Short mmCIF file of all heavy atoms in Angstrom, two decimals:
data_model
loop_
_atom_site.label_atom_id
_atom_site.label_comp_id
_atom_site.label_asym_id
_atom_site.label_seq_id
_atom_site.Cartn_x
_atom_site.Cartn_y
_atom_site.Cartn_z
N THR A 1 191.73 -3.29 64.02
CA THR A 1 192.34 -4.06 65.10
C THR A 1 193.12 -3.14 66.02
O THR A 1 193.89 -2.28 65.56
CB THR A 1 193.26 -5.14 64.53
OG1 THR A 1 192.47 -6.04 63.73
CG2 THR A 1 193.94 -5.92 65.64
N VAL A 2 192.90 -3.29 67.31
CA VAL A 2 193.57 -2.47 68.32
C VAL A 2 194.03 -3.37 69.46
O VAL A 2 193.64 -4.53 69.56
CB VAL A 2 192.63 -1.38 68.88
CG1 VAL A 2 192.25 -0.37 67.81
CG2 VAL A 2 191.37 -2.00 69.50
N SER A 3 194.86 -2.82 70.33
CA SER A 3 195.24 -3.57 71.53
C SER A 3 194.05 -3.67 72.46
O SER A 3 193.11 -2.86 72.42
CB SER A 3 196.40 -2.87 72.24
OG SER A 3 195.96 -1.65 72.81
N LEU A 4 194.07 -4.69 73.31
CA LEU A 4 193.01 -4.83 74.31
C LEU A 4 192.95 -3.60 75.21
O LEU A 4 191.86 -3.15 75.61
CB LEU A 4 193.25 -6.09 75.16
CG LEU A 4 192.23 -6.39 76.24
CD1 LEU A 4 190.83 -6.53 75.66
CD2 LEU A 4 192.63 -7.64 77.01
N GLU A 5 194.10 -3.02 75.49
CA GLU A 5 194.15 -1.80 76.29
C GLU A 5 193.36 -0.68 75.63
O GLU A 5 192.55 0.00 76.28
CB GLU A 5 195.61 -1.37 76.48
CG GLU A 5 195.78 -0.07 77.25
CD GLU A 5 197.23 0.36 77.33
OE1 GLU A 5 197.98 0.11 76.37
OE2 GLU A 5 197.60 0.98 78.35
N GLN A 6 193.56 -0.48 74.33
CA GLN A 6 192.85 0.59 73.64
C GLN A 6 191.37 0.26 73.46
O GLN A 6 190.52 1.15 73.51
CB GLN A 6 193.50 0.87 72.29
CG GLN A 6 192.92 2.11 71.60
CD GLN A 6 193.70 2.51 70.36
OE1 GLN A 6 194.81 2.02 70.13
NE2 GLN A 6 193.13 3.39 69.57
N LEU A 7 191.05 -1.01 73.27
CA LEU A 7 189.65 -1.40 73.11
C LEU A 7 188.85 -1.07 74.36
O LEU A 7 187.79 -0.42 74.28
CB LEU A 7 189.55 -2.89 72.79
CG LEU A 7 188.10 -3.41 72.64
CD1 LEU A 7 187.46 -2.83 71.39
CD2 LEU A 7 188.07 -4.93 72.62
N ILE A 8 189.31 -1.52 75.51
CA ILE A 8 188.59 -1.27 76.75
C ILE A 8 188.56 0.22 77.07
O ILE A 8 187.66 0.71 77.77
CB ILE A 8 189.18 -2.12 77.89
CG1 ILE A 8 188.79 -3.59 77.67
CG2 ILE A 8 188.76 -1.63 79.26
CD1 ILE A 8 189.26 -4.55 78.74
N ASP A 9 189.49 0.96 76.51
CA ASP A 9 189.55 2.41 76.70
C ASP A 9 188.67 3.15 75.68
O ASP A 9 188.73 4.38 75.62
CB ASP A 9 191.00 2.88 76.57
CG ASP A 9 191.24 4.23 77.23
OD1 ASP A 9 190.58 4.52 78.24
OD2 ASP A 9 192.07 5.00 76.72
N SER A 10 187.87 2.43 74.89
CA SER A 10 187.11 3.06 73.80
C SER A 10 185.67 2.56 73.77
O SER A 10 185.30 1.74 72.92
CB SER A 10 187.80 2.77 72.46
OG SER A 10 189.14 3.19 72.46
N PRO A 11 184.81 3.03 74.66
CA PRO A 11 183.42 2.58 74.66
C PRO A 11 182.67 3.05 73.42
O PRO A 11 183.15 3.89 72.66
CB PRO A 11 182.84 3.23 75.93
CG PRO A 11 183.72 4.41 76.17
CD PRO A 11 185.09 4.01 75.71
N VAL A 12 181.47 2.49 73.23
CA VAL A 12 180.62 2.83 72.08
C VAL A 12 179.27 3.28 72.61
O VAL A 12 178.65 2.60 73.44
CB VAL A 12 180.44 1.61 71.15
CG1 VAL A 12 179.52 1.97 69.98
CG2 VAL A 12 181.78 1.11 70.64
N LEU A 13 178.80 4.43 72.12
CA LEU A 13 177.46 4.92 72.45
C LEU A 13 176.58 4.77 71.22
O LEU A 13 176.93 5.26 70.13
CB LEU A 13 177.51 6.39 72.87
CG LEU A 13 176.16 7.07 73.12
CD1 LEU A 13 175.43 6.41 74.29
CD2 LEU A 13 176.35 8.56 73.39
N ALA A 14 175.45 4.09 71.35
CA ALA A 14 174.55 3.86 70.23
C ALA A 14 173.13 4.22 70.63
O ALA A 14 172.75 4.11 71.81
CB ALA A 14 174.61 2.39 69.80
N GLY A 15 172.34 4.66 69.64
CA GLY A 15 170.96 4.98 69.96
C GLY A 15 170.12 5.32 68.75
O GLY A 15 170.63 5.63 67.68
N ARG A 16 168.81 5.22 68.94
CA ARG A 16 167.87 5.61 67.89
C ARG A 16 167.89 7.13 67.71
O ARG A 16 167.88 7.64 66.60
CB ARG A 16 166.47 5.13 68.26
CG ARG A 16 165.41 5.47 67.20
CD ARG A 16 164.04 4.95 67.62
NE ARG A 16 164.08 3.51 67.91
CZ ARG A 16 164.05 2.56 66.98
NH1 ARG A 16 163.99 2.89 65.70
NH2 ARG A 16 164.08 1.30 67.33
N TRP A 17 167.87 7.85 68.82
CA TRP A 17 167.91 9.31 68.78
C TRP A 17 169.35 9.72 69.05
O TRP A 17 169.77 9.85 70.19
CB TRP A 17 166.94 9.90 69.80
CG TRP A 17 165.58 9.27 69.74
CD1 TRP A 17 164.99 8.50 70.68
CD2 TRP A 17 164.64 9.36 68.66
NE1 TRP A 17 163.76 8.09 70.29
CE2 TRP A 17 163.50 8.61 69.04
CE3 TRP A 17 164.63 9.99 67.42
CZ2 TRP A 17 162.38 8.47 68.23
CZ3 TRP A 17 163.52 9.85 66.61
CH2 TRP A 17 162.42 9.11 67.01
N PHE A 18 170.09 9.90 67.98
CA PHE A 18 171.54 10.10 68.06
C PHE A 18 171.93 11.34 67.26
O PHE A 18 171.38 11.59 66.19
CB PHE A 18 172.28 8.87 67.52
CG PHE A 18 173.78 8.93 67.65
CD1 PHE A 18 174.41 8.45 68.78
CD2 PHE A 18 174.57 9.49 66.64
CE1 PHE A 18 175.79 8.51 68.91
CE2 PHE A 18 175.94 9.56 66.76
CZ PHE A 18 176.55 9.06 67.90
N ARG A 19 172.87 12.09 67.80
CA ARG A 19 173.35 13.30 67.13
C ARG A 19 174.83 13.47 67.36
O ARG A 19 175.30 13.31 68.50
CB ARG A 19 172.60 14.52 67.66
CG ARG A 19 172.99 15.86 67.02
CD ARG A 19 172.25 17.01 67.71
NE ARG A 19 172.57 18.30 67.12
CZ ARG A 19 172.23 19.48 67.65
NH1 ARG A 19 171.54 19.51 68.79
NH2 ARG A 19 172.56 20.61 67.04
N GLU A 20 175.59 13.74 66.32
CA GLU A 20 177.03 14.01 66.45
C GLU A 20 177.30 15.43 66.01
O GLU A 20 176.91 15.86 64.92
CB GLU A 20 177.86 13.03 65.61
CG GLU A 20 179.35 13.23 65.80
CD GLU A 20 180.19 12.11 65.20
OE1 GLU A 20 180.48 12.19 63.99
OE2 GLU A 20 180.51 11.15 65.93
N ILE A 21 177.99 16.18 66.88
CA ILE A 21 178.31 17.59 66.63
C ILE A 21 179.81 17.75 66.56
O ILE A 21 180.55 17.32 67.45
CB ILE A 21 177.73 18.47 67.76
CG1 ILE A 21 176.21 18.29 67.86
CG2 ILE A 21 178.08 19.94 67.53
CD1 ILE A 21 175.60 18.93 69.09
N ASP A 22 180.27 18.35 65.48
CA ASP A 22 181.69 18.62 65.28
C ASP A 22 182.05 19.88 66.07
O ASP A 22 181.53 20.96 65.79
CB ASP A 22 181.95 18.83 63.78
CG ASP A 22 183.43 18.91 63.44
OD1 ASP A 22 184.25 18.83 64.37
OD2 ASP A 22 183.75 19.09 62.25
N LEU A 23 182.93 19.75 67.05
CA LEU A 23 183.28 20.87 67.91
C LEU A 23 184.56 21.55 67.45
O LEU A 23 185.50 20.88 66.99
CB LEU A 23 183.45 20.39 69.35
CG LEU A 23 182.20 19.83 70.05
CD1 LEU A 23 182.56 19.31 71.44
CD2 LEU A 23 181.09 20.87 70.13
N ALA A 24 184.61 22.88 67.62
CA ALA A 24 185.80 23.67 67.29
C ALA A 24 186.45 23.13 66.02
O ALA A 24 187.59 22.65 66.05
CB ALA A 24 186.78 23.67 68.46
N PRO A 25 185.76 23.17 64.89
CA PRO A 25 186.22 22.47 63.68
C PRO A 25 187.56 22.95 63.15
O PRO A 25 188.19 22.24 62.36
CB PRO A 25 185.10 22.74 62.67
CG PRO A 25 184.36 23.93 63.19
CD PRO A 25 184.47 23.86 64.67
#
């Protein structure tokens, strides 16, 4: 649960061809 302010400030990217890279770990 978050504030409406934080929710609208937090989009979601979804996809079949998806990759997440950890930067400057």
